[in-house]
């Protein structure tokens, strides 16, 4: 049987907006060239002069043969005065390195099926995912390729499908849907470790549907206490790591976010989680009245993009905890910007999601570090994880 390709319409709808991009991937990013693209570029008579100063040979392997040496402004030397790529303009798309040709496109393969997606670190992708009403129309078609692949674990595929169902079809608020997914994950992890039979995932899913219908999931979420101290520790640590890891931490776009957060500090210049949470309720929520599905869309994207709860450690609990943390951090950023601007524009919303994912989606060490942070903060259970999302008792 032919392998399948799954493609959400946000992949089909995407087009690079080039010079109009508010945070171009041609600046401040590590841009690598494969050997073939590098050789072709330095031999091209229209590009050779720039190429002499633009490259540093690293020769890690054929896919990472050279790296762009950014100019003092942090821009790729091949970018012209119109903020467009000279390689693309003079030699065509096929001459681009694999990095430049494919970003922000990405795909994962599970059980022979190819799942296409885009990285949220691109502002235009964030705009599509968060606001385009047609973004999540899924197309499934055969690839025309017959390839024998190892089957994806049954527990993973069931958990992936049921997580989507819990988010989309139960009519729960996004926080409550996340809690339902967490309760599913708990059973999935036991199945993964052969402590329970696979049928227990199906049974748990049916139980969760009944709990949602009877409003018990809502009641359980409401009973989770507001715990500002773990929230404060988590936010401080993760934001500090983001500032240290972000390639554009000194650029105006990132600085504007930091300035917004600083406005909510106390007289000792200390971040105040209560102030952030109050800003969410007072400024952000009213500003998001026209985007009530914002976090539903983001969680849907995250589940699909990562084939949740897949994670390299194969521990679904860690994948769940990171998903909750992602929602918590972006909510804090939205709160700060809403407080500063006394509201949120679509550009503000895109900025908050996109800035965070420049590091979150591209630096494995960042994900590992924030997972350790959550452990140190005592975020080691579903109620503890969900307490990150509470803004008041």
């Amino acid at each position: 049987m032919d392998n399948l390709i799954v493609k959400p319409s946000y992949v089909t709808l995407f087009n690079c907006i080039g010079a109009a991009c508010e945070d171009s991937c041609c600046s401040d990013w590590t841009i690598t060239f494969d050997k073939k693209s590098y050789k072709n570029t330095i031999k091209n008579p229209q590009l050779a002069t720039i190429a002499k100063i633009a490259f540093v040979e690293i020769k890690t392997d054929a896919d990472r043969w050279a790296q762009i040496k950014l100019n003092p402004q942090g821009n790729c030397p091949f970018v012209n005065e119109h903020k467009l790529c000279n390689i693309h303009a003079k030699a065509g798309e096929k001459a681009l390195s694999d990095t430049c040709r494919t970003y922000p496109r990405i795909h994962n393969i599970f059980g022979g099926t190819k799942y296409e997606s885009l990285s949220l670190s691109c502002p235009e992708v964030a705009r599509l995912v968060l606001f385009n009403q047609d973004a999540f129309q899924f197309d499934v078609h055969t690839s025309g390729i017959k390839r024998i692949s190892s089957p994806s674990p049954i527990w993973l595929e069931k958990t992936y499908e049921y997580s989507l169902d819990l988010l989309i079809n139960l009519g729960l608020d996004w926080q409550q849907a996340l809690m339902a997914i967490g309760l599913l994950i708990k059973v999935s992890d036991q199945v993964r470790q052969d402590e329970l039979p696979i049928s227990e995932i199906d049974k748990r899913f049916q139980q969760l549907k009944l709990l949602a219908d009877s409003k018990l999931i809502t009641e359980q979420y409401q009973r989770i206490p507001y715990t500002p101290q773990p929230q404060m520790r988590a936010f401080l640590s993760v934001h500090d790591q983001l500032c240290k890891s972000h390639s554009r931490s000194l650029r105006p776009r990132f600085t504007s976010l930091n300035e917004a957060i600083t406005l909510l500090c106390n007289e000792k210049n200390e971040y105040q989680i209560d102030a952030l949470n109050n800003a969410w309720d007072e400024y952000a929520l009213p500003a998001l009245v026209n985007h009530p599905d914002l976090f539903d869309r983001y969680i849907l994207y995250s589940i699909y993009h990562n084939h949740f709860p897949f994670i390299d450690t194969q521990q679904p609990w860690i994948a769940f905890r990171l998903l909750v943390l992602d929602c918590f951090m972006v909510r804090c950023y939205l709160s700060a910007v809403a407080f500063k601007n006394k509201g949120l524009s679509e550009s503000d919303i895109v900025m908050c999601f996109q800035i965070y994912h420049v590091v979150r989606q591209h630096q494995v060490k960042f994900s590992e570090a924030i997972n350790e942070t959550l452990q140190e903060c005592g975020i080691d259970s579903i109620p503890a994880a969900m307490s990150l999302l509470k803004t008041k008792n």
Side-chain angles (χ1 to χ4, degrees):
M1 190 173 92
D2 288 346
N3 297 117
L4 298 177
I5 297 176
V6 180
K7 181 186 295 187
S9 52
Y10 65 77
V11 173
T12 307
L13 292 167
F14 173 78
N15 281 300
C16 175
I17 59 175
C21 183
E22 55 265 62
D23 203 15
S24 172
C25 54
C26 298
S27 301
D28 299 310
W29 284 57
T30 299
I31 304 170
T32 57
F33 269 63
D34 56 275
K35 185 177 181 179
K36 181 180 179 181
S37 299
Y38 168 66
K39 295 290 186 182
N40 289 340
T41 302
I42 62 176
K43 291 178 181 178
N44 187 304
Q46 298 184 80
L47 301 170
T49 301
I50 300 176
K52 289 179 181 178
I53 62 169
F55 286 113
V56 175
E57 291 187 355
I58 53 176
K59 297 184 179 180
T60 304
D61 53 48
D63 292 327
R64 293 175 52 83
W65 195 259
Q67 187 169 301
I68 291 292
K69 181 181 179 182
L70 302 178
N71 68 21
Q73 290 73 45
N75 299 320
C76 173
F78 288 106
V79 175
N80 62 30
E81 66 274 17
H82 303 295
K83 296 184 179 180
L84 297 174
C85 177
N86 271 323
I87 296 178
H88 189 283
K90 298 180 183 300
E93 183 179 352
K94 291 183 179 180
L96 295 171
S97 73
D98 186 62
T99 300
C100 299
R101 187 170 54 251
T102 59
Y103 178 82
R105 302 179 187 279
I106 193 171
H107 69 266
N108 292 307
I109 297 176
F110 293 93
T113 298
K114 181 180 180 181
Y115 296 85
E116 297 191 3
S117 190
L118 302 172
S119 296
L120 212 64
S121 53
C122 167
E124 185 61 14
V125 173
R127 210 170 350 260
L128 279 171
V129 167
L130 299 173
F131 302 126
N132 190 291
Q133 293 306 305
D134 297 322
F136 291 101
Q137 302 296 318
F138 287 85
D139 174 63
V140 182
H141 61 273
T142 57
S143 65
I145 299 173
K146 293 182 173 68
R147 183 187 297 117
I148 298 175
S149 304
S150 300
S152 184
I154 297 176
W155 70 264
L156 173 61
E157 294 307 314
K158 282 183 175 289
T159 306
Y160 169 71
E161 295 292 342
Y162 288 159
S163 294
L164 290 171
D165 204 303
L166 291 170
L167 174 68
I168 297 169
N169 295 324
L170 298 192
L172 297 170
D173 290 342
W174 64 270
Q175 299 98 325
Q176 297 159 21
L178 271 180
M179 193 168 100
I181 291 170
L183 295 170
L184 176 70
I185 286 293
K186 187 174 181 180
V187 172
S188 296
D189 206 8
Q190 291 175 291
V191 172
R192 177 186 68 88
Q193 298 178 74
D194 294 323
E195 295 174 2
L196 291 174
I198 191 70
S199 59
E200 288 298 314
I201 297 181
D202 303 310
K203 188 184 297 185
R204 178 50 122 183
F205 173 65
Q206 295 303 325
Q207 290 171 344
L208 290 169
K209 289 173 66 177
L210 293 173
L211 289 172
D213 289 341
S214 61
K215 307 299 182 184
L216 288 176
I217 288 179
T218 300
E219 291 177 15
Q220 286 184 43
Y221 178 72
Q222 291 173 344
R223 286 199 297 268
I224 293 174
Y226 172 55
T227 54
Q229 191 56 38
Q231 285 192 25
M232 189 73 260
R233 290 180 60 196
F235 178 76
L236 280 172
S237 179
V238 175
H239 182 64
D240 181 61
Q241 292 173 55
L242 188 82
C243 292
K244 291 176 179 177
S245 304
H246 208 291
S247 60
R248 304 170 189 176
S249 60
L250 299 178
R251 299 293 183 189
R253 186 173 173 82
F254 193 97
T255 301
S256 68
L257 176 61
N258 256 338
E259 288 173 349
I261 294 169
T262 302
L263 289 176
L264 290 165
C265 291
N266 62 17
E267 63 276 5
K268 296 180 182 178
N269 203 33
E270 297 170 338
Y271 294 138
Q272 296 294 289
I273 199 68
D274 286 333
L276 274 171
N277 288 332
N278 289 337
W280 172 255
D281 293 324
E282 186 174 352
Y283 296 103
L285 280 179
L288 294 175
V289 68
N290 293 324
H291 306 291
D293 61 347
L294 183 71
F295 274 88
D296 298 275
R297 295 169 73 89
Y298 172 58
I299 296 166
L300 173 57
Y301 163 84
S302 296
I303 291 174
Y304 171 77
H305 181 82
N306 298 309
H307 207 74
F308 177 88
F310 175 79
I311 195 167
D312 290 341
T313 62
Q314 288 292 300
Q315 296 182 50
W317 155 248
I318 292 178
F320 171 74
R321 186 167 61 179
L322 288 173
L323 176 56
V324 174
L325 186 277
D326 292 339
C327 292
F328 167 70
M329 291 302 299
V330 173
R331 190 201 68 199
C332 287
Y333 292 150
L334 289 169
S335 299
V337 174
F339 178 81
K340 177 186 177 184
N341 297 339
K342 299 300 180 281
L344 288 167
S345 66
E346 288 194 1
S347 294
D348 293 333
I349 296 168
V350 166
M351 179 184 73
C352 291
F353 281 89
Q354 180 257 334
I355 280 178
Y356 178 70
H357 284 83
V358 168
V359 178
R360 176 69 173 90
Q361 289 189 326
H362 297 283
Q363 295 193 23
V364 174
K365 289 184 178 179
F366 176 75
S367 299
E368 293 172 349
I370 61 178
N371 185 54
E372 292 175 4
T373 292
L374 291 172
Q375 194 66 35
E376 292 168 359
C377 293
I379 311 298
D380 54 6
S381 67
I382 293 168
M386 296 307 303
S387 70
L388 288 174
L389 303 180
K390 299 297 288 281
T391 58
K392 56 190 175 183
N393 283 319

